[in-house]
Amino acid sequence: MRLRALLDTDALGLRLLGGEDELDRTVRGVMTTDLRDPSRYLSGGELVLTGLAWRRDAADSEPFVRILVQAGVAALAAGEAELGDVPQDLAVACARHRLPLFAVHESVAFATITEHVVRQVSGERAGDLAAVVDRHRRMMTSGPAGGGPDVVLDLLGSDLDLRAWVLSPTGRLIAGSEAAGPGLPPDTCAKLAAEHLAAVRTGRRGPHRVLMGQTTYSLFPIRSGGGRAPQAPRASQTPQASRDVRESVLSDWLLAVEADAGDWADERLDLLQGVTQLIAVERDRRDAARSVRRRLAQEVLELVQTGAAPAEIAARLRVAAPVLLPGLGAAPHWQVIVARVEWDEGGPEAGPVAQSLLEEILVDPLATGPEPSDRIAVAHTGDEAIALVPLPAVPSEHDGSETGVLADALLAAVREPLSSGLDGDGRLTLGVSAAVHSAEGLRGALEEARHARRVAAARPGRVCAAGHQELASHVLLLPFVPDDVRKAFTARLLDPLREYDRRHRAELIPTLEAFLDCDGSWTRCASRLHLHVNTLRYRVGRIEQLTSRDLSRLEDKLDFFLALRMS
């Protein structure tokens, strides 16, 4: 459709502010964003809708518009609900770059414009999409009670005879159409998620085709942030440069369709891309609820880390309990889980990635739908993500049974897809505390979870977890080891290194401490010490030679860790 057609529809409430000479541009899609840099979600030809939350001052308009123009969008439409009139600096920037600018009246919802554009664009390309778009409002307004993504998937089944499912990046079944029958087996979901993540990490454009047994599946990315999933490039197109996919690959959903999209015409591919966009809008609406739970976790974490009074922490927990466990009469017990995502070479900011990933991992892999995550509060600080998990019950003191999150089982169902998502250059490590029943215990639980994560980080593999049980014979019992035993153990292990440092100024002890603190990562340790990796390898080799230990073995790493702690 053409831009000028939007002005002819009074119900859209659009007012042209600039770019009258560009109204013959073709609109190929629509995207809603308040990101300062939405380029990774743009594929060209979109009408971009924004509420202007990205704008802090007049200087922000020029770079935002420049990003849109470089991505090849058709036009920008700014809502008037937040700031009233569209800022003049935005209009000037759009005029400078010849980008058409519309104002959206405060009475018009972005969902209305999205629905209209998707209907018109898709109607021009494929008549069989009309049934999906005509009922878009039902999905957008009905909420969980109305089925959410299932509504669109049911229409794919009834109108287009396509069996389809929405999966999380860990392979959890989010939604499925009635026509699809019983849900996909968990192992099939995990394998499809792994194939999808591996394809995204290698830069392949969707849809990704996967043959499992005698069945072919086509996998379509569902981008978070309201973004439109990139389409497979046509012969005349060149793929756009994109930002690091690691920012979102571990949090985006995917649409799995039981069909071979390689046989489809462009119209049918466009149809499925429109469907992923509708599901992305619904997901964004659901994800907005996470902000409340994240804020609760952040507030509790800050109180715990700053040494606030237990009474103050307990008050915040009483506020959190009804949100996380509605209907529970008494405040629950709590567990703390610490996660860390690390990249071998650079990579995006680790804290937010770990936060999104931990929110998904903590949902029971056998639970369907997006709602179970409503009971998980995850904050992030630095490179860590920290989850506050409420428990309605605690382990029985009489029968020895345990409830809550167990480290051994936590990653079992998601190890395969996550290993593909980390793609050989990243690691995920988690530590799980014991349950605590009061605010006084949260600080200890946090430290316990952090120690457990360090134990997990000392193990080989891309995805590792450790629980509080594994600390009992190491960290937690250190105060009870007799002084003479501790001194003998420390001297036997560290004295050769200290003597060598004294004679040669080789700094083996600081190197050992940094190497363990970096969880055995050569790249990060060398960077921290400002050394060449070969120099670091020489020092570690000297440490191993002097102590007859092997720093690639978990047992020896733990011995060194304990010796340094006791020294």
Side-chain angles (χ1 to χ4, degrees), residues 23 30 107 200 234 248 326 442 495 538:
L23 291 181
V30 62
S107 64
V200 173
R234 310 274 170 80
S248 59
L442 276 180
D495 277 0
Y538 172 82

Side-chain angles (χ1 to χ4, degrees), residues 247-298:
E247 292 184 22
S248 59
V249 67
L250 295 174
S251 60
D252 286 343
W253 288 355
L254 66 136
L255 175 66
V257 180
E258 190 180 295
D260 188 348
D263 300 331
W264 290 357
D266 288 342
E267 289 78 11
R268 180 57 66 91
L269 288 172
D270 289 339
L271 182 154
L272 265 296
Q273 299 292 356
V275 169
T276 63
Q277 186 181 11
L278 299 184
I279 296 174
V281 172
E282 172 66 6
R283 184 199 170 162
D284 291 342
R285 191 179 69 157
R286 293 175 183 270
D287 284 353
R290 285 185 177 182
S291 61
V292 176
R293 302 189 300 277
R294 286 177 171 179
R295 186 171 64 252
L296 287 172
Q298 197 73 43

Side-chain angles (χ1 to χ4, degrees), residues 352-545:
V353 175
Q355 182 181 41
S356 296
L357 189 54
L358 188 54
E359 285 172 333
E360 174 58 37
I361 290 174
L362 289 174
V363 179
D364 184 345
L366 299 180
T368 60
E371 288 75 22
S373 62
D374 290 348
R375 296 186 175 186
I376 296 165
V378 183
H380 76 83
T381 175
D383 291 338
E384 285 184 335
I386 300 171
L388 188 66
V389 181
L391 302 175
V394 292
S396 169
E397 296 181 357
H398 304 290
D399 61 17
S401 63
E402 291 189 75
T403 61
V405 179
L406 301 178
D408 291 340
L410 187 60
L411 298 179
V414 300
R415 192 179 305 276
E416 180 180 2
L418 290 184
S419 296
S420 297
L422 293 166
D423 192 38
D425 70 347
R427 290 197 76 203
L428 169 68
T429 52
L430 295 98
V432 183
S433 79
V436 296
H437 59 83
S438 67
E440 291 89 341
L442 276 180
R443 186 175 183 86
L446 176 58
E447 291 305 314
E448 188 175 62
R450 282 174 167 161
H451 282 307
R453 192 207 64 79
R454 290 179 62 85
V455 171
R459 295 170 174 164
R462 292 288 172 181
V463 181
C464 300
H468 61 93
Q469 305 92 334
E470 300 173 66
L471 300 179
S473 62
H474 298 96
V475 176
L476 298 184
L477 291 183
L478 286 180
F480 303 99
V481 177
D483 284 344
D484 56 341
V485 175
R486 289 160 53 139
K487 290 177 181 178
F489 175 81
T490 302
R492 185 171 62 251
L493 201 57
L494 298 184
D495 277 0
L497 305 182
R498 289 170 175 153
E499 178 61 22
Y500 191 89
D501 281 350
R502 186 185 64 80
R503 289 188 288 111
H504 300 281
R505 297 183 181 179
E507 296 188 329
L508 295 185
I509 292 290
T511 300
L512 176 61
E513 291 174 334
F515 187 75
L516 295 176
D517 191 53
C518 292
D519 301 329
S521 170
W522 297 97
T523 303
R524 290 194 297 109
C525 184
S527 176
R528 175 179 294 190
L529 296 175
H530 305 289
L531 297 175
H532 192 278
V533 172
N534 289 341
T535 303
L536 175 62
R537 291 186 185 277
Y538 172 82
R539 289 187 182 181
V540 170
R542 179 64 69 184
I543 292 170
E544 293 174 335
Q545 181 183 27

